[in-house]
């Protein structure tokens, strides 16, 4: 079987990109209400490239938060990308350093989910396929947020259309796809991973903030998965 290339990566990312359109439009509308121009939204999407972090930035800008608060918030919200990038390097072990840096720079929850699904069915995943997956999602997000900002004045209440739930729905779809893929391959360790994440979260949430509890519980789950998978 021939390795999938850039074009195949773009094609495999299409379902995710369609989901990006709705949540990107929703963000653009929210950003418009925060008095951000189309140029500012485009630069934010191109440089920050983090849906949840960008929504948080809009709320902080409205609250007139200082630069340090905004910077630390974006850093903590996007910190999970470091974990995804580290795991992605294990899939592209033979790739050149520049390829790995490019993959890690544009990886998101959704493109990472598509990558995991691809890795379940193909022992070898080419860096060019991942670039197609990442670039398709990246361009769709940037363009969608700009269009949403331009349309913002005509849609004062995006929640009434359910646009604020689009990202959550996309996460659920990717999670279910990945879960059934792992179970069909006989990798029952997913049960232990989920149990460790859930238990860790409830224990940590008793004395830590929700965001920090989620982050640390994710680290615990990843650690359990790595240890059990090696065995």
């Amino acid at each position: 079987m021939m390795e999938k290339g850039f074009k195949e990566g773009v094609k495999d990312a299409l379902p995710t990109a369609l989901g990006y359109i709705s949540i990107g439009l929703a963000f653009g509308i929210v950003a418009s209400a925060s008095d951000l121009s189309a140029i500012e939204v485009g630069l934010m999407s191109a440089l920050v490239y983090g849906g949840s972090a960008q929504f948080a930035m809009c709320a902080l800008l409205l609250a007139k938060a200082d630069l340090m608060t905004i910077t630390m918030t974006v850093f903590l919200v996007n910190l999970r990308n470091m974990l995804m990038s580290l795991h992605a390097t294990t899939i592209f072990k033979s790739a050149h350093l520049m390829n790995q840096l490019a993959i890690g720079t544009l990886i998101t929850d959704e493109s990472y989910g598509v990558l995991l699904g691809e890795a379940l069915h193909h022992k070898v995943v080419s860096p060019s396929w991942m670039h197609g997956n990442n670039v398709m999602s990246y361009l769709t997000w940037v363009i969608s947020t700009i269009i949403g900002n331009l349309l913002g004045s005509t849609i004062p209440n995006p929640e009434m259309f359910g646009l604020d739930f689009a990202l959550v729905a996309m996460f659920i779809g990717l999670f279910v796809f990945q879960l059934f893929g792992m179970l069909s391959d006989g990798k029952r360790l997913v049960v232990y991973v989920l149990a460790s994440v859930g238990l860790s979260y409830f224990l940590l949430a008793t004395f830590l903030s929700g965001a920090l509890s989620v982050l640390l519980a994710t680290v615990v789950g990843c650690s359990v998965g790595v240890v059990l998978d090696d065995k």
Side-chain angles (χ1 to χ4, degrees):
M1 180 182 293
M2 294 180 60
E3 280 190 2
K4 289 185 176 181
F6 186 88
K7 290 183 178 179
E8 288 77 14
V10 170
K11 182 179 179 180
D12 291 340
L14 279 175
T16 300
L18 291 175
Y20 268 20
I21 292 175
S22 58
I23 194 64
L25 291 174
F27 168 73
I29 294 166
V30 170
S32 176
S34 301
D35 295 326
L36 293 177
S37 68
I39 294 177
E40 290 170 330
V41 168
L43 287 173
M44 184 190 292
S45 296
L47 299 176
V48 178
Y49 189 40
S52 54
Q54 290 179 225
F55 275 104
M57 286 180 70
C58 288
L60 291 171
L61 287 172
L62 281 176
K64 301 186 183 303
D66 58 85
L67 180 60
M68 182 58 69
T69 300
I70 295 175
T71 302
M72 289 303 299
T73 299
V74 172
F75 172 75
L76 291 174
V77 170
N78 281 346
L79 190 58
R80 69 191 187 283
N81 286 19
M82 181 184 69
L83 299 173
M84 295 185 290
S85 299
L86 287 173
H87 180 252
T89 61
T90 65
I91 299 177
F92 302 102
K93 291 181 180 179
S94 60
H96 189 274
L97 176 61
M98 294 306 297
N99 267 327
Q100 293 191 353
L101 288 175
I103 290 172
T105 299
L106 293 183
I107 199 168
T108 63
D109 302 273
E110 294 79 19
S111 66
Y112 176 68
V114 175
L115 169 62
L116 293 182
E118 183 71 11
L120 279 175
H121 298 93
H122 299 87
K123 292 183 178 180
V124 178
V125 181
S126 69
S128 59
W129 176 91
M130 188 59 187
H131 291 320
N133 175 22
N134 275 342
V135 170
M136 180 63 183
S137 299
Y138 179 72
L139 292 178
T140 303
W141 173 255
V142 174
I143 294 172
S144 298
T145 57
I146 294 174
I147 294 175
N149 180 264
L150 295 174
L151 296 175
S153 59
T154 64
I155 309 177
N157 185 21
E159 288 80 6
M160 67 182 293
F161 298 103
L163 295 179
D164 55 324
F165 187 72
L167 189 59
V168 177
M170 193 191 314
F171 283 154
I172 293 174
L174 289 170
F175 171 74
V176 171
F177 173 76
Q178 177 67 11
L179 178 63
F180 280 101
M182 293 180 70
L183 291 176
S184 64
D185 275 6
K187 296 183 179 180
R188 301 291 178 176
L189 66 88
V190 68
V191 176
Y192 298 103
V193 172
L194 292 177
S196 63
V197 171
L199 181 60
S200 300
Y201 173 77
F202 283 113
L203 291 176
L204 292 168
T206 58
F207 56 90
L208 295 176
S209 66
L212 187 58
S213 298
V214 170
L215 176 62
L216 293 178
T218 302
V219 173
V220 172
C222 291
S223 302
V224 171
V226 169
V227 172
L228 295 181
D229 196 37
D230 285 342
K231 294 181 179 180

